[in-house]
Amino acid sequence: MYLCWKENEAPSISEVTGKAVKVAEGQPVEMKCAVTGKHDSIITWYKNGVQITGGRYLIKETGDLVVHKAVLSDSGIYTLCEAVNRYGRVNAEAGIVIVRQKTIIQQPPRDVGVF
């Protein structure tokens, strides 16, 4: 949740990611939700219908969501970016995050001789 201070205007969302974002495990990922508006807009993000809070998640002043060091469980549907102030409420579907697992070598290569 982030507060955006401006004056006497309902919030609006001018741009969202709106597509699938692919990221490698351990890398940061950013979802766009450009919020404009005035007077103490509270910006909230939801993943699979559950509010996102704290930890590796950061909601920027602009409304964008940054996930630091993505893990496999960060994959999912980021269903909503919502901005609310006393003049109104607006939300938008944000997009999908696909976190790809790091490549794991299960069997190391073997030396092969040619005869």
Side-chain angles (χ1 to χ4, degrees), residues 36 101 110:
T36 59
Q101 189 173 18
R110 299 178 298 173

Side-chain angles (χ1 to χ4, degrees), residues 15-99:
E15 182 181 359
V16 292
T17 299
K19 61 179 179 176
V21 175
K22 297 175 185 172
V23 64
E25 188 176 19
Q27 296 298 309
V29 62
E30 186 168 338
M31 299 289 288
K32 186 160 240 8
C33 183
V35 175
T36 59
K38 305 205 182 231
H39 205 320
D40 300 346
S41 292
I42 298 172
I43 302 166
T44 309
W45 277 81
Y46 295 86
K47 176 185 170 242
N48 298 330
V50 178
Q51 183 177 347
I52 296 170
T53 58
R56 295 171 299 103
Y57 303 101
L58 168 70
I59 299 174
K60 296 169 92 176
E61 285 185 39
T62 59
D64 296 351
L65 174 71
V66 178
V67 181
H68 298 285
K69 295 186 179 180
V71 296
L72 295 176
S73 63
D74 290 323
S75 291
I77 301 169
Y78 286 72
T79 50
L80 210 57
C81 165
E82 179 178 68
V84 179
N85 68 18
R86 69 171 132 175
Y87 300 104
R89 170 187 305 256
V90 65
N91 59 54
E93 291 185 24
I96 298 171
V97 171
I98 301 167
V99 179

Side-chain angles (χ1 to χ4, degrees), residues 101-113:
Q101 189 173 18
K102 290 181 180 179
T103 302
I104 299 171
I105 298 174
Q106 295 180 346
Q107 184 175 13
R110 299 178 298 173
D111 289 335
V112 178

